[in-house]
Amino acid sequence: MTTQPDAARTARMIRVARTVPACVLLAALALAGAAGCGGTSAADGDGGGGGRKDTTRSRRAAPQPPGTGTVDLARRITDYTDGITADGSYRIPSERERRAAAEGVRALLDGDRTAAVRRLGGIGYAVRTLVDSSGGARYAEVADATREGEVRRGWGRVYVDLRGPARWQVQVPHPSADQRTEQLGIGLLRGAPGGVLVLAGAHRAADSGDGPDAADVAHRRDSVFAAVAAALADRRLPAVQVHGFADSSLPDHDVVVSPGKGEEGLPSAVRLAAAYRAQGLRVCEVWERYCGRLEGRTNVEGEYAEEAGVPFLHVEHNRRVRDDDGLVAKAVRALLEVATRWGAGQR
């Protein structure tokens, strides 16, 4: 005869067994993007408030799976660049890997997400759609599928504005080394439709085992950064590349504006210099005077833009500007004068 304790135990087992099919069903739904039996779905993202957070924690965080999520775009990018340090790692990508990255970004800009995911997934990248909690704009993020890949190889990220067709690009080749230059890129991407942000993933002095300058993507064509920038130039997207310099390097100026090696971007450069001056910033214009070793004449992305006949602007900002949020906002307003015109198809 069954005792009372045994009967209670049997009843509990029956209740547990009845819950299993529901949990399995929810788990299956989670694979399709819905919330499952606990945990976070891809739609939840990793957004939050503004500001910088603990970079050690951000590096250890589990990567967000492919999907759509609402995030604070500035915080997401800043958390990433906070983890880029001079003692980090970098691996030079193979020609096949560079080609796949460029082809994947091209497919994304063509609206063929399936092809983009296939090409980029083959080299360890994931494509995510993010909704910026500040303003609600949608962006495609091309980033390493795993945190380990992101940290070990340092190939960087790409952000594509999905509000309309891509019209222009902003390049940040030296995050961390040129401190807070990513804030200029973020502000510009958010401020004008049609932008693509190309962001390096390693400090320019990161160790690769292939020489001290292997990770300096502004002076090496064998990088994912350069491959993507070239693919965008082939699509006739003009570019602005933002840098930083020490106040002592050019003490009488806040900003250096250059059209790079070519002259295709000179009209935009003249307009940009005027916009900086209108914001109260002191500008050194390389077509008017010598601006030291800050003119960007040997920049490989600028060289490629010249070959493609596409405008390219190389812009340096001193530390005083980059350290002050108010001055960063003024610099972004100046940059928007040019990017907005580019977005409207004007040069």
Side-chain angles (χ1 to χ4, degrees):
M1 186 171 94
T2 304
T3 65
Q4 186 63 31
D6 287 339
R9 185 182 303 110
T10 301
R12 285 197 301 272
M13 292 174 64
I14 291 171
R15 286 196 299 272
V16 170
R18 285 173 177 169
T19 66
V20 171
C23 188
V24 171
L25 176 60
L26 287 174
L29 290 172
L31 293 176
C37 301
T40 304
S41 74
D44 291 332
D46 65 349
R52 297 171 181 258
K53 69 179 181 183
D54 181 10
T55 58
T56 301
R57 183 176 62 202
S58 69
R59 274 195 176 265
R60 291 176 181 172
Q64 180 193 15
T68 301
T70 298
V71 303
D72 181 328
L73 188 69
R75 177 173 180 174
R76 185 177 183 86
I77 295 174
T78 301
D79 284 347
Y80 170 60
T81 56
D82 277 348
I84 297 174
T85 61
D87 60 356
S89 298
Y90 179 72
R91 176 173 74 79
I92 299 174
S94 68
E95 182 180 355
R96 180 193 68 81
E97 290 166 330
R98 299 193 301 271
R99 184 170 61 252
E103 290 173 353
V105 172
R106 277 197 293 265
L108 188 60
L109 266 58
D110 287 337
D112 190 345
R113 189 183 180 94
T114 300
V117 169
R118 183 175 65 252
R119 295 297 288 146
L120 292 163
I123 57 169
Y125 271 111
V127 181
R128 304 176 180 96
T129 301
L130 307 176
V131 178
D132 188 6
S133 59
S134 176
R138 296 170 63 249
Y139 299 91
E141 176 191 72
V142 176
D144 278 271
T146 66
R147 183 68 65 184
E148 181 180 6
E150 195 162 66
V151 171
R152 288 184 178 276
R153 62 187 192 178
W155 290 353
R157 294 181 177 184
V158 180
Y159 289 86
V160 179
D161 183 2
L162 298 178
R163 287 175 285 186
R167 301 290 191 188
W168 53 271
Q169 55 173 314
V170 53
Q171 303 168 3
V172 184
H174 299 144
S176 184
D178 291 357
Q179 291 183 358
R180 304 194 80 228
T181 48
E182 76 280 354
Q183 300 305 318
L184 297 165
I186 294 166
L188 192 52
L189 183 68
R190 276 176 157 177
V196 180
L197 170 60
V198 187
L199 183 64
H203 192 285
R204 65 189 302 172
D207 179 28
S208 69
D210 291 283
D213 298 322
D216 185 357
V217 297
H219 296 97
R220 297 278 298 244
R221 290 204 180 193
D222 57 350
S223 69
V224 167
F225 184 96
V228 171
L232 298 177
D234 287 340
R235 295 177 72 93
R236 315 300 301 165
L237 269 63
V240 56
Q241 189 175 103
V242 292
H243 291 262
F245 67 94
D247 294 353
S248 58
S249 296
L250 206 65
D252 295 330
H253 296 89
D254 299 310
V255 183
V256 178
V257 178
S258 169
K261 186 177 180 179
E263 298 297 324
E264 195 70 30
L266 185 56
S268 293
V270 171
R271 189 172 294 109
L272 179 59
Y276 276 117
R277 285 196 299 271
Q279 294 296 325
L281 300 176
R282 302 167 299 168
V283 186
C284 187
E285 302 158 310
V286 303
W287 57 94
E288 294 288 348
R289 54 158 290 173
Y290 177 62
C291 299
R293 300 177 60 187
L294 301 169
E295 299 188 347
R297 301 294 193 184
T298 60
N299 183 283
V300 298
E301 288 78 31
E303 289 175 349
Y304 191 90
E306 182 199 21
E307 295 166 10
V310 179
F312 175 86
L313 302 180
H314 182 280
V315 189
E316 297 266 3
H317 304 79
N318 69 2
R319 185 64 181 267
R320 185 181 78 93
V321 168
R322 289 176 286 120
D323 276 351
D324 185 313
D325 287 344
L327 294 179
V328 167
K330 289 186 175 185
V332 168
R333 283 196 288 271
L335 289 163
L336 284 171
E337 292 284 332
V338 171
T340 301
R341 287 180 59 89
W342 286 348
Q346 303 172 1
R347 301 291 170 85

